[in-house]
Amino acid sequence: MKKILGIAALAAVLMTGATSCKKFSEQRKGNTSTSGLTTVMCDNSFKNIMQQEIDVYEYCYPEASVIPYYVSEREALDSVLSLKSPLAVISRELTPEETKFLKDRKKTAHCQRIAVDAIALIVNPENPVDQLSKKEIGEILTGKVENWNDIWPSKLGKIEVVFDDAQSSTVKYMRDSLTFGEEFGNNVYAQGSNQAVFEAVKTHKNAIGVIGVSWIASDLKTAAASVEERARTSQSSDTTNIAFNEAIKVLKVNGNESPVGYKPYQAYIFSGQYPLYRSIFMVCTSVPGTTAHGFYSFVTGVQGQKLIQMTGILPATVRPRMVSVN
């Protein structure tokens, strides 16, 4: 009888540790990888991605709670380095100096790439321009090109560039990659949020928005779906077809060495043909067996990666698709 009870107890433990999304009736106590409270500091640009991860993780593990703070990348990194939060989502890896800084404070930093994000350029549907080169984008950002007519025959007038926030990682990426540190022109504005960028482009025919691709996927119906539906989809093995929101136009972008432009679809991000992309990293300073590390494992695992794929960006772990052809 004792042996039978022991086997039953082991089976119960294995069922509890599984990654299925069933709601458990047992009341768990304490801080474990599937129960307890933790915080995550996330770059504002990745809010749409991280919120979906949190929603599904908390649905899968109802006794776990992840409190997000959507801040600038600098604030997210500072929170981890000052040990105020065990988790951060940023657009770069930790430097050797930052890793050593944490190690000196007896914290082992786990840092893993979770996705490759594309920076999309969006305009009003009535804008006749369909494609820009990296060179043209750089000239627009620095104010050397100020009028849409200088790009394509148009009566739209002055080009107005809109970002989410002056301190965002998107601004930093565009400055580092396209203007090489040169200051932006007087035609560049910060709207305060990614949603505000989207709305500005919808209502201003002469505006061009710079925004993470996950914010414009029409498959954001995924975000509008119930948590149960998202959890179920993230467990399936099929692929997700992404289209862009029809309220705006997504521009093609070509590298300076090629006349062919591409939109930021996952396939072109993967191949590198779409030239405006960056990595997203997740940092965890918590030990295994804690809620923070449990959430980190979820995001970097199969289910978390599928959720990222559903938002329109490229997950760090690309899931292969088997196709049968007659």
Side-chain angles (χ1 to χ4, degrees), residues 41-312:
M41 308 296 287
C42 181
D43 184 317
N44 270 311
S45 302
F46 312 134
K47 177 180 178 179
N48 177 55
I49 302 163
M50 193 49 45
Q51 193 58 55
Q52 293 198 49
E53 294 280 359
I54 292 169
D55 289 347
V56 175
Y57 175 74
E58 290 182 340
Y59 171 76
C60 294
Y61 306 107
E63 293 187 28
S65 181
V66 181
I67 301 175
Y69 294 90
Y70 299 109
V71 295
S72 70
E73 181 173 79
R74 182 71 259 173
E75 289 174 296
L77 187 56
D78 285 347
S79 259
V80 168
L81 294 176
S82 62
L83 308 184
K84 292 179 180 177
S85 177
L87 294 167
V89 180
I90 55 179
S91 66
R92 67 170 179 84
E93 292 184 271
L94 293 179
T95 65
E97 292 76 17
E98 289 163 345
T99 301
K100 183 179 182 302
F101 180 86
L102 288 167
K103 187 176 181 180
D104 290 343
R105 283 150 184 78
K106 304 191 184 305
K107 290 290 183 181
T108 300
H110 305 275
C111 184
Q112 186 168 328
R113 185 170 73 166
I114 60 172
V116 179
D117 183 31
I119 307 297
L121 301 179
I122 60 174
V123 295
N124 189 280
E126 295 189 36
N127 190 320
V129 174
D130 291 314
Q131 178 174 316
L132 290 174
S133 68
K134 288 178 66 177
K135 181 182 178 182
E136 288 171 328
I137 298 166
E139 290 175 340
I140 290 171
L141 289 172
T142 55
K144 293 172 184 174
V145 173
E146 298 181 333
N147 198 292
W148 281 112
N149 196 51
D150 297 328
I151 301 293
W152 190 266
S154 170
K155 297 180 180 180
L156 293 179
K158 183 182 177 182
I159 301 173
E160 295 183 346
V161 185
V162 288
F163 282 90
D164 52 348
D165 186 89
Q167 303 301 319
S168 75
S169 59
T170 305
V171 169
K172 183 179 184 300
Y173 173 85
M174 298 298 276
R175 182 176 285 123
D176 293 345
S177 303
L178 296 178
T179 70
F180 306 103
E182 188 175 344
E183 291 299 317
F184 289 167
N186 294 326
N187 60 327
V188 179
Y189 306 91
Q191 296 299 107
S193 70
N194 285 281
Q195 187 60 42
V197 172
F198 189 85
E199 293 301 322
V201 171
K202 281 174 58 178
T203 55
H204 294 76
K205 295 179 182 180
N206 63 327
I208 178 170
V210 186
I211 193 169
V213 73
S214 69
W215 290 93
I216 59 167
S218 67
D219 205 56
L220 286 180
K221 60 189 179 186
T222 304
S226 69
V227 181
E228 291 86 349
E229 290 176 300
R230 278 180 276 163
R232 186 167 54 252
T233 304
S234 69
Q235 288 183 303
S236 67
S237 59
D238 63 330
T239 56
T240 305
N241 296 316
I242 301 297
F244 297 126
N245 195 307
E246 295 180 356
I248 47 84
K249 181 201 287 188
V250 181
L251 297 183
K252 294 180 181 179
V253 178
N254 62 287
N256 299 328
E257 66 287 345
S258 171
V260 181
Y262 298 89
K263 291 188 178 184
Y265 290 116
Q266 289 170 327
Y268 298 140
I269 302 170
F270 178 74
S271 67
Q273 291 169 294
Y274 185 79
L276 305 180
Y277 61 88
R278 59 180 175 175
S279 294
I280 304 174
F281 293 87
M282 191 169 191
V283 180
C284 177
T285 60
S286 217
V287 297
T290 59
T291 312
H293 198 278
F295 181 59
Y296 173 80
S297 298
F298 177 85
V299 175
T300 57
V302 172
Q303 193 170 350
Q305 290 292 286
K306 180 62 186 294
L307 279 169
I308 287 173
Q309 182 182 359
M310 289 160 59
T311 68

